[in-house]
Amino acid sequence: MSALSDQLVTFAILAYLVAMISHAVEYALGNARRRYVVAQPARELVGAAVGGSGGTITKAPDPAPRVTGVEGRPVGQARIAGLVAVGTTVVAAALHLAALVTRGIAADRMPWGNMYEFVLTVTFVGVAGWLVVLAKRPSLRKLGLFLTLVMVLLVATAELVLYVPVVPLVPALNSYWFIIHVSTIVFSSGILLLGVVPAVAFLMRRGYEAGKRSFPYTLAKRLPAAAALERLTFVLHAFSFPVFTFAVIAGAIWAEAAWGRPWGWDPKETWAFISWVVYAGYLHARATPSVKRNVATWIAVVGFLTMLMNLFGVNIFFTGLHSYGGLS
Amino acid sequence: MTVVDERPATPAEAPRRRPNRLLALLRNSWRQLTSMRTALVLLFLLAVAAVPGSVLPQRNISPEKVNEYFVEHPDLAPRLDRIGAFEVFGSVWFSAIYLLLFTSLIGCITPRMRDHVRALRSTPPAAPKRLDRLPQHAVLPLPEGGVPAIVEALRRRRWRVAVRGNEVSAEKGYLKETGNLVFHISMVVVLAGVALGHWYGWSGNRLLVAGEDNAFCNTRQQYAEAKLGPRVDSAHLPGFCLVLDRFEARFLESGQPDHFNATVTVEEPGKAPRSADFSVNSPLRLDGANVYLLGHGYAPVIRYTDRYGKSQVSDEPFLTTGDAGLTGEGLAAFPDANVDPKTGRRDSNLQVAFTGLYLPTAPEAPPYVRSQYPAERNPALNLVAYRGNLGLDAGIPGSVYELDERQIRTGKVKQIGDKVLRPGESWKLDDGTTVEFLGTKRYVTLSVRHDPGSGLLLVSCGFLLAGLMGSLFGRRRRVFFRVTTPGDADPAGETPTSGSSLVEAGGLPRTDYPGFADEFAQLVAAVGGGGRPDEAAGTGRDGHDRAGTREGTD
């Protein structure tokens, strides 16, 4: 069962990769739409976009020769590529979920016992959240390129760096609070990590709409309107912030039972505090008209960095009471 | 989470005869402090200030690591220490930030609380003259029931309604501000709970070896380390006693712990002794204190028979060295050994001590320095014997788990040999005395704590969460309905009111609420029984977000 889970993870990564390539194809073909306006610069932009999003897209030149001056065909192809991308993302998410379930069955517990399992779950929550967003607002589909890129990177990191064999829980984790605290932390972390996708997209798109045509902004040419991205950023954060707050409170209640104090400035707790404060700052900034929306969004991006620090950095650099990562 | 800065300055205060500069300065500073911008900066500073708390070792969490840091960075550490970098969360600057933040918070929410109470008690305001100027606007035929029908439809949807003649004003979503205030007040209460726990709480750590002889009663002296809050009198600690009867530990083949359970006999004043179990994650809850299981290990039972044939037994715990195999390191000292029973004279140079390593599962072959498994599969005690003046009589405080190094250095204590003992084995020393390894007892590391603020913390956290949801998902909005009969003088002058009676409706979201257009349309449809929202007038003024009209968090 454990081996099956490992294979499913590999297939999920491949599926995310295919989804990412399909999104990239859609992106590249989408550029053809305005070819009749300026032919040459548009082609250069294809190169810039491909180079900028990780350099892993190899298929992009392939459909390029088919681009004709006629508007209809490549746009239709782009649409097909986009739908293929969404379809593969769904398949990848299903594989991802299956990997988690089999891992859980193999370990006979919730698959959140170490960092490998934790990252797998967080990323799954992220992709599931993305699919929900996509179902509600199909117009945001093009963000999928960034999302699948993040998924490939994170899941592959989990598989290559963080992998540990299945082991049962240590007694310290053996509590019903494990399910309450970890599930809510995983859920909110997943959505908060997802939240950075529209946040970064908004910052790029806003620059693009403001007329900036230098490198990172050119990527935003095909992105949805800045206002919609900003709205999505807020919705995701406003939704997950109370869940995160609850998770931290649940953690404090558990810590009181396990370690005798609700809060002890353990590195993980400290970084959860930092993330919480930064996200609280984001929500306040966004609710304040005198603070510009891009400043607020930058705060959200900083929040994402603190979350990453808490997910990876704290386990790798510091030792503390939350050292269940399985990394030595 | 709504707007706080740019509150219109109260113009009434302006005409003052002699503007007191100091007062003006104070007032301006106060306004500055309570502005949202300052609060944001303070929030950000708080986050940044917490970072060194995770990067540098902290004295209240791991004092031994702080000492290591001092050894490793002899130049830097004292300088860092001076600015409180090893006690970040109690340092002046950290406290200053959060105290300022909380002052700003209180300064911000107090007037808002007043305003909100006022808003809760007042009726929705009169309709503006031109409803078509509002972000949402619709014209519909007068429903059959007239104004009462509109009121009824609104009340059914839990709007707060005020009727003024042919006008209906309604408001909804007070929960947002209520939640907002509850959230921020809860923050203050959380801080109060922490302060309460700090002042009136206490905690102590100690080891407890199994057996009645090693019973522990809750007094200040019984703790290896104890922290008492400034308002706690050590005479008032609850007087319970604990005896460790049994400790169970199960391990997986890999050595990973699987299950712990400690069984103790508890004696509380005024109650019959009772047996109780506790474990990791399920502490022993007593009156006025909780007992937490932090760790465990082995205490080798060592019997020393001196040259006069007198035996003494030591069951001092051997502290675990931190490896997975539970290798223990410790000291069995016999300062009262070799006292001549005839004269009663004590020769301090004949004191005996053994230092050693205890390995629950010793390897097959030497060196016997590291245990391979945490359970006792092949126990071995690797002892080193010393004789001489142990230096315990000098009254200098020292560790009971280590031999005084100075005594060895100065030659007052001499090493007289070493040997590996299995349980039941004995070892005859050069002077004819014997030492026996009788077996082991379990010991547990306990943390005993009392935090009177925890209940308050829990309750305020509950309110905090509820308030947070209210403030994030509540939306304040107003709607207005005005019945215009054909004969009326129409204030707008251009609304199409010729013919039968019409109802003009307007909607105003008071907070960022992109779903308001939908809600307004539904409301108008419900009131008018099929009236159409006036699209042309309704769009374009609803703030910034037209693209996403549906909220994901409804």
Side-chain angles (χ1 to χ4, degrees):
Chain A
M1 202 52 109
S2 165
L4 175 63
S5 166
D6 300 347
Q7 282 167 352
L8 284 169
V9 170
T10 311
F11 283 126
I13 296 174
L14 288 176
Y16 283 127
L17 204 60
V18 171
M20 186 180 86
I21 291 167
S22 309
H23 272 302
V25 169
E26 177 193 19
Y27 223 80
L29 289 178
N31 276 341
R33 215 184 289 173
R34 276 182 201 151
R35 261 178 74 85
Y36 59 86
V37 187
V38 258
Q40 258 336 90
R43 274 201 83 110
E44 279 161 20
L45 286 179
V46 176
V50 168
S53 46
T56 37
I57 301 137
T58 47
K59 271 197 173 175
D62 172 28
R66 264 180 273 148
V67 170
T68 59
V70 190
E71 196 187 337
R73 263 186 64 203
V75 172
Q77 285 169 350
R79 199 180 140 69
I80 289 166
L83 292 178
V84 167
V86 172
T88 357
T89 311
V90 172
V91 171
L95 288 169
H96 198 154
L97 178 64
L100 279 175
V101 170
T102 47
R103 178 94 182 173
I105 294 171
D108 196 21
R109 57 172 166 78
M110 288 297 175
W112 311 317
N114 48 53
M115 204 168 148
Y116 168 69
E117 295 169 1
F118 192 81
V119 171
L120 272 195
T121 317
V122 169
T123 46
F124 174 74
V125 169
V127 80
W130 161 244
L131 291 175
V132 170
V133 167
L134 199 59
K136 283 198 162 189
R137 295 184 201 165
S139 61
L140 295 172
R141 190 176 69 220
K142 282 174 181 148
L143 283 183
L145 176 57
F146 300 94
L147 179 105
T148 45
L149 173 70
V150 171
M151 292 303 292
V152 168
L153 290 178
L154 284 181
V155 182
T157 310
E159 170 110 337
L160 296 175
V161 184
L162 308 175
Y163 182 78
V164 282
V166 171
V167 282
L169 291 180
V170 294
L173 291 181
N174 205 347
S175 160
Y176 55 89
W177 285 108
F178 172 67
I179 294 180
I180 300 171
H181 170 62
V182 183
S183 66
T184 45
I185 281 281
V186 163
F187 184 77
S188 54
S189 304
I191 305 290
L192 286 171
L193 293 184
L194 175 62
V196 81
V197 172
V200 171
F202 163 72
L203 290 171
M204 280 160 44
R205 178 70 194 181
R206 192 180 171 281
Y208 185 83
E209 285 178 8
K212 290 183 187 162
R213 291 294 179 270
S214 53
F215 161 63
Y217 301 107
T218 50
L219 289 179
K221 195 179 169 191
R222 298 265 143 256
L223 287 178
L229 291 171
E230 202 281 331
R231 182 80 213 154
L232 178 64
T233 309
F234 172 69
V235 166
L236 289 173
H237 284 90
F239 176 63
S240 44
F241 185 72
V243 183
F244 185 62
T245 310
F246 171 80
V248 172
I249 293 171
I253 296 170
W254 186 12
E256 195 280 329
W259 302 323
R261 80 288 181 291
W263 195 267
W265 298 110
D266 179 67
K268 204 81 166 180
E269 292 171 349
T270 307
W271 279 94
F273 170 79
I274 293 171
S275 295
W276 192 85
V277 165
V278 171
Y279 281 123
Y282 163 70
L283 292 176
H284 278 91
R286 187 172 185 288
T288 310
S290 66
V291 177
K292 287 199 188 97
R293 283 287 153 90
N294 60 329
V295 175
T297 310
W298 271 114
I299 299 177
V301 174
V302 172
F304 167 76
L305 295 178
T306 64
M307 285 303 277
L308 275 193
M309 179 67 194
N310 208 359
L311 271 181
F312 293 98
V314 169
N315 292 36
I316 293 167
F317 302 132
F318 310 130
T319 53
L321 291 165
H322 281 84
S323 303
Y324 306 116
L327 301 171
S328 50
Chain B
M1 302 279 144
T2 16
V3 197
V4 230
D5 59 349
E6 267 123 43
R7 184 180 297 132
T10 40
E13 285 180 41
R16 190 177 278 189
R17 265 180 210 167
R18 278 194 312 185
N20 186 329
R21 276 196 189 171
L22 183 69
L23 269 182
L25 179 72
L26 280 175
R27 198 172 53 234
N28 284 339
S29 327
W30 179 248
R31 270 191 201 143
Q32 194 66 41
L33 179 65
T34 55
S35 78
M36 181 62 100
R37 195 173 292 265
T38 311
L40 280 176
V41 170
L42 286 171
L43 265 180
F44 196 69
L45 275 179
L46 191 67
V48 172
V51 174
S54 72
V55 176
L56 294 169
Q58 296 296 298
R59 213 163 256 141
N60 51 348
I61 301 168
S62 48
E64 65 286 350
K65 283 202 187 133
V66 176
N67 294 339
E68 273 171 36
Y69 194 87
F70 266 83
V71 174
E72 281 166 26
H73 307 271
D75 295 334
L76 189 60
R79 265 181 247 161
L80 286 174
D81 198 21
R82 215 168 303 135
I83 56 168
F86 298 112
E87 278 142 354
V88 165
F89 303 108
S91 68
V92 179
W93 37 279
F94 192 80
S95 315
I97 295 170
Y98 75 74
L99 286 178
L100 273 177
L101 185 63
F102 273 87
T103 314
S104 162
L105 174 71
I106 292 167
C108 170
I109 58 173
T110 313
R112 285 177 72 174
M113 215 143 49
R114 205 181 49 220
D115 294 348
H116 188 57
V117 169
R118 207 172 284 158
L120 281 177
R121 295 171 56 168
S122 63
T123 50
K129 274 192 178 153
R130 297 195 49 176
L131 292 180
D132 58 335
R133 286 278 173 88
L134 294 178
Q136 297 297 326
H137 178 244
V139 177
L140 57 152
L142 184 68
E144 278 175 24
V147 170
I150 299 176
V151 171
E152 170 60 24
L154 286 168
R155 288 238 164 95
R156 211 179 309 128
R157 284 153 192 264
R158 298 193 291 124
W159 287 77
R160 171 182 290 205
V161 184
V163 182
R164 294 181 182 84
N166 63 342
E167 285 177 7
V168 179
S169 314
E171 188 160 11
K172 197 177 175 181
Y174 294 89
L175 182 66
K176 185 182 184 66
E177 183 69 357
T178 310
N180 200 346
L181 292 170
V182 166
F183 171 76
H184 286 102
I185 294 167
S186 305
M187 295 289 301
V188 179
V189 181
V190 165
L191 189 68
V194 172
L196 193 68
H198 178 73
W199 282 330
Y200 295 95
W202 55 269
S203 67
N205 289 349
R206 64 158 290 148
L207 299 176
L208 182 59
V209 180
E212 268 188 58
D213 310 339
N214 298 306
F216 140 69
C217 287
N218 186 36
T219 58
R220 173 74 181 78
Q221 293 74 27
Q222 284 271 321
Y223 289 106
E225 43 177 320
K227 264 185 232 158
L228 268 62
R231 304 287 171 88
V232 180
D233 184 351
S234 58
H236 292 138
L237 297 183
F240 59 85
C241 293
L242 293 181
V243 175
L244 179 64
D245 299 321
R246 210 166 52 247
F247 180 75
E248 287 166 41
R250 276 205 314 268
F251 302 92
L252 301 175
E253 250 342 277
S254 63
Q256 180 186 316
D258 181 42
H259 170 80
F260 297 128
N261 189 54
T263 310
V264 287
T265 305
V266 189
E267 252 187 85
E268 286 182 273
K271 287 186 194 168
R274 62 187 169 98
S275 179
D277 288 271
F278 65 103
S279 177
V280 181
N281 277 323
S282 63
L284 179 63
R285 310 258 182 210
L286 301 172
D287 257 1
N290 296 319
V291 183
Y292 301 90
L293 179 65
L294 293 188
H296 66 108
Y298 298 93
V301 185
I302 297 165
R303 182 161 66 197
Y304 175 68
T305 310
D306 64 14
R307 53 185 75 185
Y308 303 105
K310 211 169 144 253
S311 297
Q312 294 175 51
V313 175
S314 157
D315 58 358
E316 281 297 324
F318 274 34
L319 301 186
T320 50
T321 49
D323 61 343
L326 282 183
T327 308
E329 191 174 15
L331 167 75
F334 299 96
D336 299 324
N338 298 319
V339 176
D340 191 335
K342 286 175 201 149
T343 60
R345 236 194 59 221
R346 186 158 169 253
D347 187 348
S348 61
N349 290 322
L350 290 180
Q351 293 176 339
V352 176
F354 303 91
T355 64
L357 292 175
Y358 176 65
L359 292 76
T361 301
E364 293 299 319
Y368 298 113
V369 290
R370 199 179 157 85
S371 170
Q372 292 179 321
Y373 192 74
E376 293 181 304
R377 288 180 168 174
N378 179 25
L381 185 62
N382 193 348
L383 279 188
V384 182
Y386 293 91
R387 187 166 53 233
N389 189 338
L390 301 179
L392 299 175
D393 306 329
I396 301 165
S399 171
V400 293
Y401 303 113
E402 277 171 24
L403 201 57
D404 193 339
E405 284 290 327
R406 278 168 308 191
Q407 302 295 103
I408 303 176
R409 253 199 327 269
T410 54
K412 286 180 183 159
V413 172
K414 287 203 171 64
Q415 187 176 331
I416 50 177
D418 60 285
K419 191 171 168 63
V420 175
L421 295 176
R422 309 281 169 175
E425 285 183 353
S426 64
W427 170 25
K428 199 176 264 284
L429 299 183
D430 58 348
D431 59 352
T433 60
T434 50
V435 56
E436 289 165 274
F437 173 34
L438 300 178
T440 56
K441 287 180 179 175
R442 303 302 293 245
Y443 77 84
V444 292
T445 326
L446 297 181
S447 171
V448 185
R449 288 170 176 269
H450 176 57
D451 180 1
S454 60
L456 188 63
L457 275 182
L458 188 62
V459 172
S460 55
C461 281
F463 276 103
L464 184 146
L465 203 57
L468 177 62
M469 308 245 251
S471 79
L472 281 176
F473 305 136
R475 291 179 195 93
R476 192 143 165 213
R477 63 266 194 199
R478 286 176 182 160
V479 289
F480 305 98
F481 293 87
R482 179 179 290 129
V483 178
T484 45
T485 41
D488 277 355
D490 196 326
E494 57 195 54
T495 22
T497 52
S498 53
S500 62
S501 288
L502 288 176
V503 180
E504 201 184 353
L508 174 70
R510 304 218 36 219
T511 49
D512 178 26
Y513 177 19
F516 184 63
D518 291 353
E519 191 195 2
F520 183 77
Q522 280 173 13
L523 186 68
V524 165
V527 166
R532 67 196 156 78
D534 187 347
E535 281 301 326
T539 50
R541 290 190 213 109
D542 186 15
H544 10 263
D545 304 311
R546 296 303 310 165
T549 46
R550 210 179 304 141
E551 183 91 326
T553 53
D554 286 343

